Amino acid sequence: MNAPVVSIVTPVWNAAGTLEETVASVRTQTREDWEMLLIDDGSTDGSRALAERLAATDPRFRVLGWEDNRGPAAARNAGIRAARGRYLSFLDADDLWRPEKLEVQIGYMERTGAAFSFAALERIDVGGRVLGRIGAPARVDYARLLRGNVIPCQTAAFNRERYGAIEMPDLPRRQDYGLWLMLLKGGGEAHGIDEVLA
């Protein structure tokens, strides 16, 4: 199989109730040159078996993991290390993408040369009812990001060739915020796409 353009990293921990829908939102992407890494972080609810069953019919899915629970940073970093795509994105096992997410976002990055981007999202409840919208400012630099995280993890994507080998800090919470700060500390901006893609 040719190397994917986009690698999607999904930590999985006791997500049997949501994982199938999350995976379906990736299967229906209008852009198809991706791989999805499902990293089971010691689930005890059958998530690992479900992930393996969902991955069995499509070589773009890979399942990794271990028996003990090590936390989301360890799971995401295992996915980052295993990723083969130029662009890296994250999707938690209880989140969903719109079908056009990769086509719009990666297409924007390819056209503009943006190394880091994110998008707007809708918050929904378990029944799919919209609870609110989180918009995306057009540009975010390091100084702006220090005032608070405005980059939702499930909408972020960055070019690994531009940033090199980098992982999420092993923090109990807000590892994604730590990574965004690391990416922007050396300069540059994250480009916001104010369109709901997740």
Side-chain angles (χ1 to χ4, degrees):
M1 187 173 83
N2 292 334
V5 173
V6 187
S7 293
I8 304 156
V9 173
T10 300
V12 178
W13 183 66
N14 290 345
T18 58
L19 182 60
E20 195 159 3
E21 197 173 356
T22 297
V23 166
S25 79
V26 174
R27 282 193 200 277
T28 59
Q29 288 298 301
T30 55
R31 180 167 181 153
E32 299 179 342
D33 51 357
W34 50 261
E35 67 173 350
M36 186 176 194
L37 299 127
L38 301 165
I39 304 94
D40 183 64
D41 188 26
S43 294
T44 57
D45 68 344
S47 289
R48 176 69 178 257
L50 174 60
E52 290 172 346
R53 180 175 62 78
L54 293 170
T57 59
D58 191 328
R60 295 176 296 178
F61 290 90
R62 289 192 282 153
V63 179
L64 312 169
W66 39 76
E67 296 300 316
D68 56 320
N69 179 250
R70 301 179 189 178
R76 288 183 178 128
N77 287 336
I80 291 170
R81 289 190 293 272
R84 298 178 301 141
R86 178 186 316 123
Y87 297 96
L88 190 68
S89 58
F90 301 94
L91 179 64
D92 285 352
D94 61 350
D95 290 328
L96 305 171
W97 279 352
R98 293 273 176 92
E100 68 277 11
K101 196 263 190 189
L102 292 178
E103 183 176 359
V104 170
Q105 184 172 24
I106 303 304
Y108 171 85
M109 295 175 77
E110 290 172 334
R111 286 191 313 276
T112 65
F116 184 8
S117 73
F118 62 102
L121 65 81
E122 285 180 338
R123 292 178 56 248
I124 59 172
D125 64 17
V126 293
R129 184 171 57 98
V130 176
L131 303 176
R133 181 185 191 275
I134 299 174
R139 299 281 189 277
V140 176
D141 62 10
Y142 180 74
R144 168 61 186 86
L145 200 61
L146 282 175
R147 299 199 307 266
N149 187 15
V150 294
I151 302 174
C153 190
Q154 66 269 51
T155 75
F158 66 89
N159 186 331
R160 297 169 68 223
E161 293 177 354
R162 295 274 289 278
Y163 289 107
I166 192 164
E167 296 185 358
M168 287 195 172
D170 192 7
L171 303 170
R173 296 182 59 213
R174 304 184 80 184
Q175 311 88 11
D176 56 336
Y177 185 27
L179 177 58
W180 313 153
L181 288 167
M182 290 163 58
L183 293 176
L184 294 179
K185 190 170 185 178
E189 298 175 317
H191 294 235
I193 300 167
D194 198 25
E195 177 179 345
V196 171
L197 298 179

